[in-house]
């Protein structure tokens, strides 16, 4: 029961001030299973809410890490096009736009159905390329712009994330058998 209430509470947190306060001392690096700053607070619901929000922030920071690697590799991403179930989570999407500091365009319709139709249209010869078919057959339902006043918060959280990467590498070296 309290998990459902916690999820509802966490999804209601749309104010970035609340997100800053909730995740001030909790940092996650999910791909390595690293969490720093766990606390036992007054209720399990509070603990779960903080963990939920910190996890969303961590996913956004990990996405930023990927986007920066792509940009360093010669790409110049000016926006992200998102599709699928997570696009319905306003907190998830806004945190990503804020962490990346670029707009996120949300695709309309069912991504799987549209993707299959695009592939079939190209295979049947209706379009010369996937790019041409996508331009005609897929559409953007709305755009989520970054909240520019959050850049300092996400820049600081990203520095902690980068330090956690270095710490994780150090731990692996220290525990390696020779």
């Amino acid at each position: 029961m309290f998990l459902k209430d916690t999820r509802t509470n966490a999804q209601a947190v749309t104010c970035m001030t609340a997100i800053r306060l909730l995740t001030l001392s909790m940092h996650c690096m999910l791909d390595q299973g690293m969490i720093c700053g766990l606390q036992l607070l007054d209720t399990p619901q509070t603990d779960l809410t903080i963990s939920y929000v910190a996890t969303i922030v961590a996913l956004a920071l990990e996405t930023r890490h990927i986007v920066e690697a792509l940009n360093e590799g010669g790409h110049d991403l000016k926006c992200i096009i998102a599709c699928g179930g997570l696009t319905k989570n306003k907190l998830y999407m806004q945190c990503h736009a804020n962490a990346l500091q670029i707009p996120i365009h949300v695709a309309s319709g069912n991504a799987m159905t549209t993707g299959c139709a695009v592939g079939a249209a190209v295979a049947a010869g209706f379009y010369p390329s996937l790019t041409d078919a996508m331009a005609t057959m897929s559409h953007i339902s709305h755009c989520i712009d970054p909240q520019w006043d959050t850049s300092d918060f996400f820049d600081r959280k990203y520095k902690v994330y980068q330090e956690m990467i270095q710490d994780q590498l150090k731990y692996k070296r220290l525990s390696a058998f020779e």
Side-chain angles (χ1 to χ4, degrees):
M1 176 66 183
F2 67 84
L3 183 57
K4 180 181 177 197
D5 294 340
T6 301
R7 188 173 148 214
T8 303
N9 290 341
Q11 288 176 338
V13 177
T14 55
C15 175
M16 278 290 128
T17 302
I19 291 172
R20 284 185 201 120
L21 292 172
L22 285 171
T23 63
L24 188 62
S25 62
M26 186 178 217
H27 310 284
C28 304
M29 193 172 100
L30 301 173
D31 63 335
Q32 298 294 318
M34 191 172 181
I35 300 174
C36 174
L38 286 173
Q39 301 176 39
L40 294 175
L41 299 173
D42 55 345
T43 66
Q45 293 90 340
T46 303
D47 290 338
L48 284 173
T49 300
I50 292 170
S51 296
Y52 176 78
V53 174
T55 299
I56 288 176
V57 170
L59 288 167
L61 296 173
E62 289 180 1
T63 302
R64 178 174 169 169
H65 188 68
I66 293 166
V67 168
E68 284 188 1
L70 288 168
N71 287 339
E72 288 171 8
H75 298 279
D76 187 22
L77 298 178
K78 301 281 189 213
C79 74
I80 299 287
I81 299 175
C83 61
L86 280 174
T87 60
K88 293 174 178 60
N89 185 321
K90 292 178 183 179
L91 178 63
Y92 179 90
M93 297 304 293
Q94 190 64 61
C95 279
H96 274 71
N98 293 346
L100 298 171
Q101 290 296 300
I102 58 175
I104 298 179
H105 298 266
V106 179
S108 62
N110 183 307
M112 294 295 288
T113 305
T114 302
C116 289
V118 166
V122 173
F126 291 108
Y127 295 96
S129 70
L130 288 173
T131 305
D132 292 331
M134 287 171 52
T136 303
M137 298 175 70
S138 61
H139 306 284
I140 301 300
S141 69
H142 63 281
C143 180
I144 300 164
D145 290 315
Q147 297 166 322
W148 299 107
D149 60 332
T150 65
S151 63
D152 183 57
F153 168 74
F154 280 98
D155 287 346
R156 289 173 186 268
K157 291 293 272 187
Y158 189 61
K159 286 178 185 173
V160 172
Y161 173 80
Q162 290 174 313
E163 286 293 320
M164 291 176 79
I165 291 172
Q166 295 309 311
D167 289 345
Q168 191 64 247
L169 293 171
K170 180 175 70 175
Y171 301 150
K172 285 181 180 179
R173 283 192 304 272
L174 289 171
S175 63
F177 293 100
E178 298 191 23

